[in-house]
Amino acid sequence: MTIETSPDCPPHCQRRLLITAGPTHEPIDSVRYIGNRSSGRLGVDLADAAARRGWAVTLLLGPSALVPAEPSVTLARYRTASDLGELLAAHQKACDVLVMAAAVADYRPKVTPEQLTGKLRRKDAKMVIELEPTEDLLAGCASRRDPGQVFVGFALEPRERMMSSARDKLERKGIDLIVANPLETMEAGAIEAVVLGRDGSARRTEGAIEKAAFGDWLLTVIEEAATCVND
Ligand code: CTP
């Protein structure tokens, strides 16, 4: 297998990718949750593509029916944003590149331990579920990162404000690259993306490309940005 490295990398150098994928499920009680429509497809494909390139890959995967095809991918599962935060804290030091493809909930139901283990009952009166904000995991990881680590986020945005929102998130989260893509990408077979860099760079796919080919396209962009730090 070919390991693609920069000319400065010694032969043993293997890049380490930490990637998150899939939705979060935030419990309302023991049987209900607030989730989102992310399938995890993009992140799982990206994990497989990186493993095929010889990267050491750890995939933090949410409640998704998908699993990576490549046996070398190390898999850990999460359910909630808070579970994912704990996994990231445990794994982030041992990576060269972090890609946050997970669709993380911004709010979770504010529930007591008793509600979490019980089941809400139907009543005639209306029901109000109070939500509390979750932590911005990517911003938290970026604030603790080591020199040389490359952090990549995603921004799924309405087309008309895609570029400005993505630029804003790149700055606000303190990351190196952000993959901006329009909302229509969500359940489509193809993706049209722009990767914005902290250095002001913008790399676009040539129109919409098949999601299966997108992983390799994005990894090439990331490899250009990532220098080898584990030599
Ligand atoms: N993200 C995260 N923690 C959250 C929410 C999002 O780490 N609580 C990450 C996502 O994995 C993604 C990036 O931040 O890589 C952008 O996510 P997005 O939902 O588009 O941005 P938000 O910060 O949630 O902003 P908004 O909801 O206002 O668009």
Side-chain angles (χ1 to χ4, degrees):
M1 187 179 287
T2 310
I3 298 175
E4 298 206 18
T5 54
S6 82
D8 307 331
C9 290
H12 66 270
C13 173
Q14 187 184 32
R15 284 203 185 84
R16 299 162 303 173
L17 172 68
L18 178 62
I19 177 161
T20 70
T24 49
H25 285 181
E26 301 297 335
I28 297 170
D29 64 16
S30 64
V31 291
R32 304 178 180 95
Y33 59 81
I34 294 180
N36 60 66
R37 279 159 56 193
S38 166
S39 67
R41 166 59 61 206
L42 204 78
V44 171
D45 282 352
L46 205 59
D48 278 333
R52 283 194 292 273
R53 285 179 172 228
W55 292 45
V57 181
T58 300
L59 171 64
L60 309 183
L61 183 61
S64 159
L66 303 172
V67 282
E70 295 297 322
S72 68
V73 174
T74 302
L75 182 65
R77 291 285 191 166
Y78 67 83
R79 184 169 168 235
T80 65
S82 161
D83 299 340
L84 178 56
E86 283 176 26
L87 284 174
L88 282 165
H91 287 88
Q92 92 160 76
K93 249 197 150 14
C95 78
D96 302 310
V97 177
L98 168 67
V99 174
M100 276 294 281
V104 186
D106 288 324
Y107 292 89
R108 68 174 153 243
K110 194 172 177 183
V111 282
T112 61
E114 295 72 43
Q115 284 168 324
L116 269 185
T117 50
K119 187 180 174 217
L120 286 171
R121 294 285 160 194
R122 174 194 288 271
K123 292 192 185 100
D124 286 338
K126 74 174 179 182
M127 178 182 289
V128 175
I129 297 175
E130 190 181 347
L131 301 179
E132 61 185 8
T134 59
E135 189 197 334
D136 186 328
L137 300 179
L138 185 52
C141 288
S143 72
R144 297 186 293 271
R145 81 169 134 173
D146 290 332
Q149 287 186 313
V150 172
F151 283 11
V152 185
F154 275 76
L156 185 69
E157 299 286 345
R159 200 179 277 276
E160 61 281 7
R161 57 182 164 85
M162 184 177 93
M163 297 295 273
S164 58
S165 293
R167 258 185 246 290
D168 173 58
K169 282 178 192 175
L170 183 74
E171 287 303 320
R172 185 157 42 87
K173 291 174 191 264
I175 54 177
D176 304 284
L177 297 172
I178 193 145
V179 186
N181 53 318
L183 278 183
E184 305 90 91
T185 301
M186 194 137 72
E187 276 159 357
I191 177 167
E192 191 186 337
V194 187
V195 180
L196 301 177
R198 228 177 153 60
D199 56 359
S201 62
R203 295 179 188 82
R204 287 170 190 278
T205 54
E206 279 185 32
I209 61 172
E210 286 302 307
K211 277 191 181 165
F214 179 72
D216 266 316
W217 181 87
L218 181 58
L219 285 167
T220 303
V221 172
I222 292 172
E223 278 170 356
E224 280 168 25
T227 52
C228 177
V229 292
N230 59 334
D231 49 293

